Amino acid sequence: PSAATDPGDRFIAICGKLDRIGSGCIDRFVLERVLNGEECRGLIRDVRAGFLFDLLKAHAGGRSGRFVHYLPLLRDLEAENVAIARAKEEAAAARERELARIEEEERVAAEKRARAEEEAAAAAKELARRAIANVISKPVDPAESIGYLFHSQ
């Protein structure tokens, strides 16, 4: 039998050596040591402990449940790892979409601010042009208020 991952292949190789009679079962304590070893740690790195204990119980064998069927356990562990990897990819994609949405909102807000600044500058230029035109076109009466120069045409 082969596994979908390198840690899975190492797990099969180690368990195969420990399964002296070829029954497909090894002692639960020994199996836990194998899973916690450096060679197979990749199989359980992201798996919740409760899920792993449930798997060990579900794949228990023997009269007292002291042994574990290691191949079905491996299949379930690898399936869970695939599900976890997909969930992480989906979460990363959702984060990317959210960041893109925020960047787009910031870009639109910056464009609105720039437009508002341009409109304010254009209004100031128009006001200055009117004031200059008023000053040039009419003789200035010293008694006339400066506000009148800016507001009349």
Side-chain angles (χ1 to χ4, degrees):
S2 66
T5 61
D6 289 338
D9 284 333
R10 290 189 295 268
F11 177 80
I12 290 173
I14 293 168
C15 289
K17 290 177 186 173
L18 295 172
D19 182 11
R20 294 187 183 126
I21 60 171
S23 65
C25 296
I26 60 173
D27 187 87
R28 178 182 172 139
F29 176 73
V30 173
L31 182 93
E32 288 177 8
R33 286 183 51 210
V34 170
L35 286 172
N36 284 314
E38 282 298 316
E39 302 88 6
C40 303
R41 188 159 295 146
L43 286 173
I44 61 169
R45 180 177 300 124
D46 296 327
V47 176
R48 291 180 304 104
F51 179 80
L52 182 58
F53 288 129
D54 290 343
L55 279 183
L56 290 170
K57 187 185 294 184
H59 296 293
R63 279 182 261 157
S64 63
R66 181 178 148 201
F67 295 93
V68 177
H69 298 279
Y70 58 89
L71 287 176
L73 175 84
L74 173 65
R75 301 291 183 244
D76 288 346
L77 275 175
E78 288 181 330
E80 180 68 8
N81 280 320
V82 167
I84 290 169
R86 282 187 187 145
K88 284 181 179 181
E89 289 170 3
E90 289 171 3
R95 278 192 302 274
E96 288 294 322
R97 286 190 301 272
E98 180 65 14
L99 288 175
R101 184 189 62 77
I102 290 170
E103 287 175 1
E104 179 64 18
E105 288 175 357
E106 289 174 352
R107 185 189 62 77
V108 168
E111 286 177 1
K112 284 182 181 178
R113 283 192 303 272
R115 238 181 280 119
E117 288 175 5
E118 289 172 5
E119 290 171 2
K125 285 180 185 178
E126 178 61 23
L127 185 62
R129 186 195 62 75
R130 284 184 185 173
I132 291 170
N134 253 350
V135 169
I136 293 173
S137 66
K138 295 182 184 177
V140 178
D141 182 2
E144 193 174 7
S145 74
I146 190 130
Y148 175 78
L149 292 175
F150 283 100
H151 295 293
S152 66
Q153 205 168 2

PDB file of all heavy atoms in Angstrom, residues 82-94:
ATOM      1  N   VAL A  82      -6.095  16.980   3.970  1.00  0.00           N
ATOM      2  CA  VAL A  82      -6.522  17.607   2.714  1.00  0.00           C
ATOM      3  C   VAL A  82      -7.631  18.616   2.997  1.00  0.00           C
ATOM      4  O   VAL A  82      -7.622  19.741   2.468  1.00  0.00           O
ATOM      5  CB  VAL A  82      -6.995  16.541   1.695  1.00  0.00           C
ATOM      6  CG1 VAL A  82      -7.722  17.169   0.521  1.00  0.00           C
ATOM      7  CG2 VAL A  82      -5.805  15.717   1.212  1.00  0.00           C
ATOM      8  N   ALA A  83      -8.581  18.265   3.835  1.00  0.00           N
ATOM      9  CA  ALA A  83      -9.672  19.183   4.184  1.00  0.00           C
ATOM     10  C   ALA A  83      -9.130  20.426   4.894  1.00  0.00           C
ATOM     11  O   ALA A  83      -9.570  21.549   4.612  1.00  0.00           O
ATOM     12  CB  ALA A  83     -10.695  18.472   5.064  1.00  0.00           C
ATOM     13  N   ILE A  84      -8.174  20.242   5.775  1.00  0.00           N
ATOM     14  CA  ILE A  84      -7.572  21.374   6.485  1.00  0.00           C
ATOM     15  C   ILE A  84      -6.825  22.267   5.502  1.00  0.00           C
ATOM     16  O   ILE A  84      -6.927  23.502   5.564  1.00  0.00           O
ATOM     17  CB  ILE A  84      -6.640  20.878   7.609  1.00  0.00           C
ATOM     18  CG1 ILE A  84      -7.459  20.250   8.734  1.00  0.00           C
ATOM     19  CG2 ILE A  84      -5.764  21.998   8.151  1.00  0.00           C
ATOM     20  CD1 ILE A  84      -6.634  19.503   9.767  1.00  0.00           C
ATOM     21  N   ALA A  85      -6.079  21.667   4.584  1.00  0.00           N
ATOM     22  CA  ALA A  85      -5.345  22.451   3.586  1.00  0.00           C
ATOM     23  C   ALA A  85      -6.309  23.249   2.708  1.00  0.00           C
ATOM     24  O   ALA A  85      -6.061  24.424   2.421  1.00  0.00           O
ATOM     25  CB  ALA A  85      -4.476  21.535   2.731  1.00  0.00           C
ATOM     26  N   ARG A  86      -7.406  22.632   2.300  1.00  0.00           N
ATOM     27  CA  ARG A  86      -8.407  23.352   1.493  1.00  0.00           C
ATOM     28  C   ARG A  86      -9.007  24.512   2.276  1.00  0.00           C
ATOM     29  O   ARG A  86      -9.207  25.597   1.740  1.00  0.00           O
ATOM     30  CB  ARG A  86      -9.506  22.395   1.044  1.00  0.00           C
ATOM     31  CG  ARG A  86      -9.107  21.531  -0.097  1.00  0.00           C
ATOM     32  CD  ARG A  86     -10.277  20.727  -0.626  1.00  0.00           C
ATOM     33  NE  ARG A  86      -9.807  19.779  -1.627  1.00  0.00           N
ATOM     34  CZ  ARG A  86     -10.308  18.588  -1.795  1.00  0.00           C
ATOM     35  NH1 ARG A  86     -11.320  18.170  -1.060  1.00  0.00           N
ATOM     36  NH2 ARG A  86      -9.825  17.780  -2.727  1.00  0.00           N
ATOM     37  N   ALA A  87      -9.308  24.274   3.542  1.00  0.00           N
ATOM     38  CA  ALA A  87      -9.877  25.341   4.371  1.00  0.00           C
ATOM     39  C   ALA A  87      -8.896  26.503   4.512  1.00  0.00           C
ATOM     40  O   ALA A  87      -9.290  27.672   4.453  1.00  0.00           O
ATOM     41  CB  ALA A  87     -10.255  24.791   5.746  1.00  0.00           C
ATOM     42  N   LYS A  88      -7.609  26.185   4.667  1.00  0.00           N
ATOM     43  CA  LYS A  88      -6.593  27.240   4.755  1.00  0.00           C
ATOM     44  C   LYS A  88      -6.500  28.011   3.445  1.00  0.00           C
ATOM     45  O   LYS A  88      -6.378  29.240   3.448  1.00  0.00           O
ATOM     46  CB  LYS A  88      -5.223  26.635   5.097  1.00  0.00           C
ATOM     47  CG  LYS A  88      -5.088  26.230   6.536  1.00  0.00           C
ATOM     48  CD  LYS A  88      -3.705  25.662   6.797  1.00  0.00           C
ATOM     49  CE  LYS A  88      -3.510  25.273   8.233  1.00  0.00           C
ATOM     50  NZ  LYS A  88      -2.155  24.739   8.486  1.00  0.00           N
ATOM     51  N   GLU A  89      -6.548  27.294   2.313  1.00  0.00           N
ATOM     52  CA  GLU A  89      -6.498  27.965   1.001  1.00  0.00           C
ATOM     53  C   GLU A  89      -7.708  28.866   0.807  1.00  0.00           C
ATOM     54  O   GLU A  89      -7.582  29.992   0.312  1.00  0.00           O
ATOM     55  CB  GLU A  89      -6.424  26.924  -0.119  1.00  0.00           C
ATOM     56  CG  GLU A  89      -5.111  26.197  -0.199  1.00  0.00           C
ATOM     57  CD  GLU A  89      -5.149  25.015  -1.162  1.00  0.00           C
ATOM     58  OE1 GLU A  89      -6.190  24.794  -1.817  1.00  0.00           O
ATOM     59  OE2 GLU A  89      -4.127  24.324  -1.261  1.00  0.00           O
ATOM     60  N   GLU A  90      -8.885  28.373   1.196  1.00  0.00           N
ATOM     61  CA  GLU A  90     -10.100  29.183   1.063  1.00  0.00           C
ATOM     62  C   GLU A  90     -10.029  30.413   1.959  1.00  0.00           C
ATOM     63  O   GLU A  90     -10.436  31.505   1.552  1.00  0.00           O
ATOM     64  CB  GLU A  90     -11.337  28.345   1.395  1.00  0.00           C
ATOM     65  CG  GLU A  90     -11.650  27.297   0.348  1.00  0.00           C
ATOM     66  CD  GLU A  90     -12.734  26.326   0.780  1.00  0.00           C
ATOM     67  OE1 GLU A  90     -13.301  26.496   1.880  1.00  0.00           O
ATOM     68  OE2 GLU A  90     -13.010  25.390   0.014  1.00  0.00           O
ATOM     69  N   ALA A  91      -9.494  30.252   3.168  1.00  0.00           N
ATOM     70  CA  ALA A  91      -9.356  31.395   4.077  1.00  0.00           C
ATOM     71  C   ALA A  91      -8.360  32.409   3.512  1.00  0.00           C
ATOM     72  O   ALA A  91      -8.593  33.620   3.585  1.00  0.00           O
ATOM     73  CB  ALA A  91      -8.913  30.922   5.462  1.00  0.00           C
ATOM     74  N   ALA A  92      -7.272  31.913   2.937  1.00  0.00           N
ATOM     75  CA  ALA A  92      -6.288  32.817   2.335  1.00  0.00           C
ATOM     76  C   ALA A  92      -6.897  33.556   1.144  1.00  0.00           C
ATOM     77  O   ALA A  92      -6.674  34.759   0.968  1.00  0.00           O
ATOM     78  CB  ALA A  92      -5.043  32.044   1.900  1.00  0.00           C
ATOM     79  N   ALA A  93      -7.666  32.845   0.330  1.00  0.00           N
ATOM     80  CA  ALA A  93      -8.323  33.489  -0.816  1.00  0.00           C
ATOM     81  C   ALA A  93      -9.333  34.535  -0.339  1.00  0.00           C
ATOM     82  O   ALA A  93      -9.431  35.622  -0.916  1.00  0.00           O
ATOM     83  CB  ALA A  93      -9.008  32.445  -1.684  1.00  0.00           C
ATOM     84  N   ALA A  94     -10.054  34.230   0.729  1.00  0.00           N
ATOM     85  CA  ALA A  94     -11.014  35.199   1.280  1.00  0.00           C
ATOM     86  C   ALA A  94     -10.281  36.427   1.813  1.00  0.00           C
ATOM     87  O   ALA A  94     -10.747  37.562   1.613  1.00  0.00           O
ATOM     88  CB  ALA A  94     -11.845  34.544   2.386  1.00  0.00           C
TER      89      ALA A  94
END
